[in-house]
Amino acid sequence: MRFAFQTWFAAGAMMSLGAAPAPAQLTQASHTKEWPQILGGASQSEMAAALALGPQLERGRPAQWLLADRRKLARALDALQPQRAGLVDAYVVSIALDSDPVFGREARETARVLSRRYDAAGRTLLLARNGDAPAGSLEALSLALARVAELMDKKQDVLVLYVTSHGAKIGIAYHDGDEGYGILSPDRLAGILDELGIRNRLLILSACYSGVFVPLLSNHETALFTAASSDRTSFGCRAENDWTFFGDALINHALRKPQPLDDAMIEARELISDWETSNRLPSSNPQVTVGEGVEAWLRPLEARMPRTATPRVGAPATDALKP
């Protein structure tokens, strides 16, 4: 079904208003396709193409909640500080795309750890359901990245992005209660980053099957870590947990320490392997790709790392496996 809208303006009436500034010319968003099959009925190829665009469906949101959350997001975006001349600055975005509490807890502590590690106070944005932070959604992530792109020096500054949620072989799920649904696909995330010109990137994706992002997001200036390969699940995402396996190993253990990023990832992979083996779980096979150009922005960031570790917080992810 297609809707057509027409607007008529009375030129004589407008002239009678006197010498007012000419209105800005509006750009029309033309309807070139029929309404998509949101809930089914499309062919497999059409469905795959639709999911690659990163769809988001919102339904039944209370109007007052929407207004309050938009205000939270606006305040958070306005509070981000511009980059500092002469320094390689990191902008940290930590987002929980699922309302299960484990992801919110993980995203919150991740924001603290990465902000401290990469000297990003005032340049850190948390998007997670509940509390004072704006909720995590695909729209909020797009706006956050656009704001970061406005403030950073794209030639030298770095985006540090942490995404945590459930995952599927088509991307990372957005699922907020019974009101928000969607998919962050590799095509969509790569498209946003390319559109915004964000080249220097540390991307950490904590979700099942998150290795599906590797082919499109790996490049010369990007360090990419995923919780699992494209054909494997990861573990620890029970709602009651404080951490997923990947988040606990990488954030709560390895990145709290003043050690290089490469060493932190080795430590995290070894921890995850030990936990999975001791609990007779199949390997999640976390993926790591580091471009040859990463050293240019990583070296000055790691030179300013704190020289002391911070204590771990929360219950270990493996506690969820205890009888």
Side-chain angles (χ1 to χ4, degrees), residues 203 205 210-211 213-214 224-229 246 265 285-288:
L203 308 177
L205 308 179
S210 47
F213 286 81
V214 170
L224 172 62
F225 302 148
T226 72
S229 61
F246 182 74
M265 195 60 216
N285 193 20
Q287 300 292 293
V288 181

Side-chain angles (χ1 to χ4, degrees), residues 91-224:
Y91 283 83
V92 174
V93 178
S94 182
I95 181 169
L97 282 176
D98 191 288
S99 56
D100 281 350
V102 58
F103 301 117
R105 287 190 282 265
E106 181 164 297
R108 281 182 173 80
E109 189 59 24
T110 294
R112 296 186 187 101
V113 172
L114 295 180
S115 181
R116 178 180 183 269
R117 178 181 176 89
Y118 293 120
D119 187 24
R123 296 172 184 83
T124 296
L125 185 60
L126 170 66
L127 303 170
R129 179 78 153 163
N130 299 323
D132 294 333
S137 70
L138 302 182
E139 179 183 38
L141 176 59
S142 298
L143 294 172
L145 296 177
R147 179 59 174 157
V148 167
E150 283 186 334
L151 295 171
M152 72 189 322
D153 181 339
K154 296 175 188 176
K155 294 180 180 179
Q156 65 176 27
D157 294 338
V158 183
L159 168 68
V160 180
L161 174 63
Y162 190 91
V163 182
T164 182
S165 183
H166 294 293
K169 293 183 178 181
I170 53 176
I172 297 176
Y174 162 55
H175 191 188
D176 187 44
D178 294 326
E179 298 161 335
Y181 305 85
I183 290 290
L184 177 63
S185 69
D187 294 85
R188 179 58 176 161
L189 182 55
I192 292 171
L193 295 174
D194 290 345
E195 172 205 343
L196 297 172
I198 300 176
R199 300 184 306 171
N200 301 330
R201 312 180 301 210
L202 169 54
L203 308 177
I204 307 174
L205 308 179
S206 178
C208 295
Y209 308 107
S210 47
V212 72
F213 286 81
V214 170
L216 282 181
L217 290 176
S218 298
N219 63 32
H220 186 71
E221 292 93 4
T222 295
L224 172 62

Side-chain angles (χ1 to χ4, degrees), residues 8-55:
W8 290 268
F9 295 93
M14 294 297 293
M15 292 290 290
S16 68
L17 293 178
Q25 186 174 0
L26 299 179
T27 301
Q28 180 180 351
S30 300
H31 299 298
T32 61
K33 299 178 181 179
E34 299 294 334
W35 274 55
Q37 297 285 346
I38 297 175
L39 299 179
S43 68
Q44 289 292 328
S45 61
E46 290 173 335
M47 188 68 74
L51 291 173
L53 296 174

